[in-house]
Every structure is written in structure tokens, then in C-alpha cells.
Amino acid sequence: MWLCTLLPVLFCCLSGSAFSAPRAWLLPSQRPRFDRPGDVIVGASFSIFDLSIGILSDFTAPPSGLLVSRVSNWGYRVAQSFVFAIEEINRSAHLLPNVTLGFSIRNSGDTVHGALHETMSFLTRQEEPIPNYTCQHGSPQAALVGDTRSSLSVSMARLLGLYKFPQVSYGSSLPILSDKIQFPSFLRTLTSDLTSSLAVTQLIIQFQWSWVIILAHDDDFGQQASSLATQELSQAGVCIEYTLHVPSHESLGKIEEIVQKMQKSTARVVLVFLSNANFQLILYGLLDVPVSGQVWVSKDTLHMALALNIPGITQVLHSTFGLLYHSSRAIGFPEFLAHLRPSQTPEDMFIKKFWEFTFDCTWPHQSSTMTDAIQLCSGNESLKNQQYALPEVSKIDVAYTAVYSIAHALQDMITHGHQHGKVTDSQDFQPWQLLLALRKVHFKTPDGIKIMFDANGDLVTKFDIFQGQKTPEGAFHLVHVGLIDPQISLGSKMMVHLKEDLQVPTSVCSESCLPGFSQVPRLGAPHCCFDCSPCPEGQFADQRDMKSCLLCPKEQYSSHMRDRCLPRTEIFLAFEEPLGFMLAFVALFLAGLAVLVLGVFLKHRDSPVVRANNRSLSYLLLLSLCLCALCALLFLGRPSVLTCLLRQTTFAVVFTVAVSSVLAKTLTVVLAFRVTRPGDRIRVCLSPGASTSVVLIASFMQVVLCGVWLATSPPFPDRDMVSEPQHIVIQCQEGSGTIFFCVLGYLGFLAVGTFSVAFLARGLPDVFNETKFLTFSMLLFCSVWTAFLPLYHSARGKSTVAVEIFSILASTAGLLGGIFIPKCYIILLKPERNTAAWLRQGHQAQQERQSEMLQTRCVPRSTPQTFMTYSFRKSPGPLL
């Protein structure tokens, strides 16, 4: 037989305490079991009884025996699902029709040495097994189902792997068991903890929770699962506020420390990688402290379900989410349990003890003293009213799928054979042959669930998502809300399907930033903790929680909400808009007024008022002021190449002509009072040609500057995208800023010089107050252009053009009104003053007032006879 070969390495792999003396203590002679014969035997190991030694041994004598300290209600029901599957297969006409499956159910006692003992006892067919020897022959042994906890299955898998004996576990999820080098014959009808841990992190990512706490067991699984979850969540942008490890032993100080941290926590989602006992221990600790409702997420729905039964837990649990791997359901199993009776299965050595613990009774032959307080077991009690709590997640039928996997593998091996040997007889096969078939098995269970294993021997399955919801009566119940399919992935993410109307709370360190805002990280905090800052002008954020704002294209601007970009509109100071219309109207009005004054002067050209101070200069000044007003129209409308060339140059030349004309008029007045006798040389400067020369020379220099400007770097149309965020301002770019300011500087120098001369001559006697009017007009002119400079540089967009037009019109109005309006007043409204007689009287009165002033000051002074003489000449001279 295959067990008769001695393998010395077995003793190196097993603990010496498991097989060395005193063997009677560790491996008692009588252990309960449940055997049923068949053509092929399937073994099973379940944690049904917790066995303990009655009296602590002093190693001087063998212990008296083992006591049953506790019966696992869940463990025995799982064992019955194993029996139910065997009987269902034996009744089937399609699955193994010519083979009757037998079984041997063993109790591991939830201990490692108990699991090893029962495994070796099953393999050797001996009560006290001798490794590698079997002395009893019988039906071939196909496989072993079990055990519940991973620590037990690991020990069993190391032993069974030496013989390539198939092992199918229904409850061991330790990730290391997926290693086929260490555990070549191990398979399981569930997923590993790493897969389920990865699935539960996908659930957190799907719900967009970005601020969580991780509670993990302080062992290999807890460390590995929390590390994997942290890695996956970090890659998805989820922040971990705390990672708390709960010790394996009950440390009240550590539990209190964890509870205090959770009390201070701001995260509302708690990701749990704990055992049932430790999880409930944490919840009991939180019952005594004020905490807000938290959402608990676990890869295991069972201990979530158990937690919901804790009194007063609603103040701690706001909601719960748990995963349950999608597995087959044993249809008819509840009815099978309901009809279970001890008398029907006398070979079952577990059922009587289970009956006592379940119905709280005692069998008559075991009670030596009969009292009224003791309830006797009749054997007719029904498990129908003793259903296990939360059957939708408790998985009391988990062994069902494992048995069907073995049965289908056995049928495939018998029917089709495999690469390593053709098998036709169910009584003659080797365990490794069944192992090969088991790895490749692919079938559907009676309820339609597809069953297959991956390369690691893990079940290929989906995860059901359950949520603990509160009923109107205040109780919690588990509701199926979705599905996770690890086989269908989008990149590195599993496919998650959820109900459309599912309501989940939020758990964030900072509230989400709306479109139009960007995240600003908080100093010293995780990246999930941030403040929301509005996007500046010209930038936008069209999605929530953007790390930074994006720049709008140059042709667009950001909306008021800063959540999108809008196309800019081109603007310029147009004639149609109110401001442009008003400026154009004022420009035409001033030009018309200048033409009107010129017409008045031409009509009264022989009057003393018009003839005074060189009427030719007055005509030229009026004509230039008309052009000054009209040149403002060049600044209105859409700029073109031609208008840009003419704007500043025309403005500079015509204003230079106007200012130089005022300068010539001012110099004429000043020089006229310096002529003290006939034939004086200064009298040459009073000729009309001299005044014209002043205008021509001053204007020629400005024309030269403008010519250089146009030849080197002329103005051109430009699109200003900076001044106004919502518009593109079409404007004229000056080209060379240096020459532009030279042109303005020359004009300013000429204006200041004219104002200085006029200001110095303001006190000269004059019947028509010519010097005072010239001084006042130039004061207005200089004031306007002095105010123009700061306004021009501070204005933006088309306001710049408006400021320049306003300055042009204001200075034009100042010169026109300050110099010519008083003359027009005399010509049109006071004609009696526009006569030679009034002029003669006015000069006499001025002479008398001046003489009185000189006598009062006792300063001898000569009378300006020259002026008086020239004033009364009948022929026109330089002054008249």
C-alpha cells in the first residue's frame, strides 16, 4: 500500500510533541467520530467539540481523559452539510451512479495536535496511528475535507502534501495556503484573505471614501492584509488616519488606547481585519464612550452579523458593509436538519452531545440523580425551531461545495482519465491522480453555481456585498446591495455592481472642492486634507477636487464661477456705443464751434478786436483747433493700419501748430511792449513773417519727429488680451514707445514754454486782456495734459483711448474758450466796445491808472509812447 513506504522526513516536518511520549495525553485512545462505509471514503475534519484535559497532568501518569468543554453549534451543522451532500450524491443518477460514497467525520477539537492526530488516524486507519504504516485494508480513501481555521489547515496541509493526498478546505483563508510549493495538495472552496482584502478595498474606492481607519489583528494575517489595503488605498488616493493593531491576547490597556484613538478620530469608515472575538471586544469598548456613528467595513460578513446582535450597538454602528464569497446553497438542507434525529444515525458519536447542548437537556442514562429541574432528552426534539442565527451569512452549508468538488473530480477521473494514467476502476486509483482531476474540475452545483479552482487552488468566485440596515422597529438586518467580480477588472480595479438607490454616508478629511476651486494642501497633513481655493482670473477648474486650476486659452476667459472658459469678444471704442457717440458729438461740436468763431472773425476782420495781436495767427489757431477736435474722431472705431498711422501723428502735428500759434501770439504781445522808440531792432520781430516763422519752425520739428517715428517703428493695430479678461481689446500699438514719448515730450515742452511766457506777461496793460486770456487757456491746456499722463498709464483697454480723446477735446475746448470766447462776446454782445473811440478811451484810462500807481510808489517811469502811438495808427500794423 501507498502508506507502507517509510518517509523519515515526516518526523522532521511534524512537531515532536505530536507523536512522542506520553502519547496517551495527546492522542487518547477513544475519540468520537462518525463513519459510514462506501465504495470510496471521503474524510472530513470539523471543529465540533472543544476537548480539554480534566486534571492538569504532572507527567508522572497518563491523564485520565479528555472532557468536552464546548460544543460548536456551527461546526456540527457544517458537518451535517457534509453528510447531506454525500447522501444527495449517492441518490443522484448522473453523478457517480455506480459508486457509493462513504465518509469518516473526525473532530479536531479546534486544536492543532487534534487536527494532526485525526488526519494521521484517517490516513493509517488506526486509533493510535503509526506514521507511514497502515495495517487495515478497506475502501480507497479519496480526499479529506477540512478544517475550519487556517492554523489547523496549515498543519494538515503540510502532512497531506507529503503524500499528495487531496485536501479541500471550506473555511481556511490564510494567503500562504495558496503557495503550491509548500502546500501542493491543498485546495479550498473560498478565496484567500488577500483576494477578499483586495475586494473590500475596491468597495471603499467605489464608495469614494477617502478618509478611513484600519483595524487589524496583530498577527501575520493582520499585518499582511493591512499592508495590502494601505498600498491599494494609497494608490487610489485614499488616506489612512490610523492603522491600529489589536493584540491577539486580551490586553485591556491596548484596547483602551485603541478606543481612545477612535474616539478622537474624524474618519467615519473603519476597515476591519479582525477575528470575531477581537472585533466584538472593540465594539464593547466603544459602547462606554461617546462616538459618532461609524461605518464598519469588513471582508467577513459573519462577524458583522454577530456584532449586530450586541445590545445597544446601534449607538456605535451607523452602518456596516461586509463581503461574502458567492457560493453554492444546499437546497433542502434546512429540511434535512429539521428531520434529524439521534435514533436515525446511531453511528454518529457527536449527535447526542450536540443534542444536549442545543436543547439544554440530559439523556436519561447519563443522569444518576433525577430531579424536576433537569430536563431529559427524548430524541424527538426538532431543529426546525433551533435555526442558526443569520442563516443568509452564517454559511452552515460550506462543506457542501467541497464534497461536490471531490465527487465531480472522481467522476472525471473515472470517466475520462487524465494525462498521468487511465483510470477505469473506482477501487484502484492513487490520491495524486484524483488531485490532478480536482485541480481541473469545472462543474455546476444543483443550484446553478459554477465551481472551478484557479492555479493556486483557490475558488474562482464573486463576492456578495451585504449592508447592515436599520429597520423601522430599530433592529438591524443584513441586505444584499451589490456584487464584486474579481475576474472582471478594469485595469487594476475589480468590477463592482451596486444597487442604484443605495445610500452611503461620506468619510472625507475635507469636503470636496466644487468646480471653480482647486485643492490647497494643509501643511503637515495627508493629501486628503486640504482647503478649497477659488481659481484666479483666467483659470478654471471644470471638475471636482482638481489639484490645480487650468489656464484658459488666450482667445477665451474664465467664467464667473471659474468652472469653464468662454470665448472672448473683440471690443474697441466704437461710434455706436454711448461713450463713443458722446465723444464724437463733442468733437464735432468743438470743430463746428471753431469754424463758427472763424466765420465771426472773418466777418468782423476789420474790427479792432479781430485786428488786435495779428489776426492771421488767430485764423491759423482757429483752423488748427478745428483740426484738433476732428482728429479725435481718428481714435474712434475699429483700428486699422491707416488710422493707427494717422492717430498720434495727426494729433501731435495739429496740436503743435495750435500751441506754437499761441506762443507766437504771446511773444508778439511781450515784444510789443519792449519797443520804446521808433526804429528799434525789436520792431523787426513784430512783423507777420516773424510770427509765421515761429509756427513753421516749431511745427517742422514735430513733423520731423513724426516722420522718424513712422519710418522706424510706426504704430500698428494690436490685440490686447491682458487689459480686460473677458474681451480682446483692438487697439493701436504705438510701436516705438521712446519716439512716442519724445513726440509728447516735445509738445509738452512747447506748451510749458508758452505757458511760462504768457504767465510772465499776464500783467502787461491791454484793453482786451489778451495776455490774461492766453495765460488762462495755456493753464487749462497744461493742467489737462498733466492729468492725462497718470490716467493714461492707469487706464486699461478702450478706456485708454477714451482718456486720450477726452484730453484732446478738453485741451481744445480750453484754448478755444479761453482765447476766443471773450472776443466773440465783445464782437457779438458788446459791439460798442469794438470801436476805435472805446479803444482810445481804454488806453487813456489804463495810462492814468498806471501813472497813479507810479506816483504812489514814488518811482519815476517813462510812458510807453510807442504803444500809444501805434495804437492810434489808422493803417494796420503789427498790433492792429
Side-chain angles (χ1 to χ4, degrees), residues 286-338:
L286 291 173
L287 285 175
D288 300 329
V289 296
V291 292
S292 59
Q294 292 175 316
V295 180
W296 299 78
V297 183
S298 173
K299 72 174 191 66
D300 190 355
T301 308
L302 179 58
H303 67 244
M304 285 294 180
L306 297 175
L308 294 178
N309 295 324
I310 299 176
I313 200 61
T314 55
Q315 70 181 33
V316 177
L317 295 179
H318 177 72
S319 179
T320 59
F321 286 92
L323 301 184
L324 194 65
Y325 63 91
H326 200 62
S327 61
S328 175
R329 287 300 179 96
I331 301 175
F333 182 57
E335 291 77 12
F336 174 82
L337 287 178

Side-chain angles (χ1 to χ4, degrees), residues 93-291:
H94 305 286
L95 183 59
L96 296 176
N98 299 321
V99 177
T100 300
L101 293 181
F103 58 81
S104 179
I105 297 177
R106 309 298 182 103
N107 173 45
S108 65
D110 200 28
T111 60
V112 173
H113 65 267
L116 284 174
H117 176 270
E118 295 298 342
T119 301
M120 187 57 66
S121 176
F122 172 73
L123 291 176
T124 62
R125 306 173 191 263
Q126 303 175 52
E127 281 296 329
E128 294 197 16
I130 301 176
N132 302 311
Y133 289 93
T134 179
C135 301
Q136 298 180 10
H137 300 280
S139 300
Q141 297 167 319
L144 183 65
V145 175
D147 201 310
T148 306
R149 290 196 300 117
S150 295
S151 59
L152 309 184
S153 295
V154 166
S155 301
M156 296 168 59
R158 292 191 186 278
L159 174 61
L160 296 172
L162 296 174
Y163 304 105
K164 300 296 187 292
F165 194 90
Q167 176 188 1
V168 182
S169 175
Y170 52 84
S172 302
S173 57
L174 194 67
I176 196 175
L177 290 169
S178 298
D179 185 356
K180 295 300 102 179
I181 297 178
Q182 297 189 58
F183 310 100
S185 64
F186 180 84
L187 297 94
R188 50 186 164 191
T189 56
L190 72 165
T191 60
S192 72
D193 284 329
L194 291 185
T195 304
S196 56
S197 299
L198 184 60
V200 79
T201 59
Q202 297 298 318
L203 184 63
I204 289 180
I205 296 171
Q206 180 71 22
F207 287 148
Q208 298 182 353
W209 289 325
S210 61
W211 191 234
V212 301
I213 301 173
I214 294 180
L215 269 180
H217 206 281
D218 192 12
D219 57 7
D220 291 341
F221 161 67
Q223 297 284 351
Q224 194 171 12
S226 61
S227 177
L228 174 67
T230 301
Q231 179 181 354
E232 292 294 326
L233 294 177
S234 298
Q235 292 178 356
V238 180
C239 296
I240 312 299
E241 184 178 15
Y242 296 117
T243 299
L244 306 174
H245 293 281
V246 181
S248 302
H249 56 281
E250 295 185 6
S251 175
L252 296 181
K254 184 66 175 178
I255 298 298
E256 184 179 354
E257 180 182 346
I258 292 174
V259 169
Q260 289 178 355
K261 285 188 176 181
M262 294 187 66
Q263 185 180 0
K264 298 177 182 177
S265 170
T266 58
R268 297 190 62 191
V269 173
V270 184
L271 182 56
V272 179
F273 300 107
L274 295 175
S275 64
N276 294 340
N278 281 346
F279 178 63
Q280 295 187 32
L281 194 62
I282 294 294
L283 293 182
Y284 276 116
L286 291 173
L287 285 175
D288 300 329
V289 296
V291 292

Side-chain angles (χ1 to χ4, degrees), residues 64 68 107 186 219 233 375 451 494 523 533 701 745 776 818:
S64 58
V68 178
N107 173 45
F186 180 84
D219 57 7
L233 294 177
Q375 180 180 353
I451 301 296
M494 298 179 180
L523 187 62
S533 175
M701 295 181 66
F776 177 71

Side-chain angles (χ1 to χ4, degrees), residues 634 639-647 649 715 717 732:
L634 294 173
S640 62
V641 177
L642 181 61
T643 56
C644 286
L645 292 175
L646 294 178
R647 275 185 182 184
T649 54
C732 287

Side-chain angles (χ1 to χ4, degrees), residues 715-728:
F716 57 90
D718 189 26
R719 293 157 61 90
D720 180 12
M721 299 183 179
V722 179
S723 299
E724 297 191 22
Q726 300 181 9
H727 304 98
I728 299 176

Side-chain angles (χ1 to χ4, degrees), residues 34 42-49 71-87 103-108 145-149 168-172 189-190 302 325 327-328 330 333-334 336-337 340 348 350 354 358 383 386-391 393-404:
F34 183 6
V42 179
S45 177
F46 301 100
S47 299
I48 302 175
F49 296 164
V71 175
S72 173
N73 202 340
W74 182 81
Y76 184 77
R77 292 171 191 259
V78 171
Q80 286 298 321
S81 72
F82 174 88
V83 176
F84 174 77
I86 293 288
E87 293 182 356
F103 58 81
S104 179
I105 297 177
R106 309 298 182 103
N107 173 45
S108 65
V145 175
D147 201 310
T148 306
R149 290 196 300 117
V168 182
S169 175
Y170 52 84
S172 302
T189 56
L190 72 165
L302 179 58
Y325 63 91
S327 61
S328 175
F333 182 57
F336 174 82
L337 287 178
L340 185 65
D348 186 355
F350 306 105
F354 167 76
T358 302
L383 292 175
Q386 298 289 331
Q387 292 186 0
Y388 196 78
L390 301 164
V393 297
S394 56
K395 289 289 185 182
I396 58 175
D397 55 355
V398 288
Y400 182 80
T401 304
V403 176
Y404 264 88

Side-chain angles (χ1 to χ4, degrees), residues 635 647-649 651-653 655-656 702 705-706 709 734 736-752 781 785 788-789 792-793 804 807-808:
F635 291 84
R647 275 185 182 184
Q648 303 292 355
T649 54
F651 151 73
V653 171
F655 262 88
T656 301
Q702 187 68 285
L705 286 175
C706 292
W709 185 10
E734 283 79 9
S736 174
T738 303
I739 301 180
F740 171 67
F741 284 106
C742 288
V743 171
L744 292 183
Y746 175 74
L747 181 59
F749 170 76
L750 201 62
V752 172
F781 184 90
W785 288 103
F788 162 78
L789 293 176
Y792 183 79
H793 286 284
E804 190 165 1
S807 300
I808 291 172

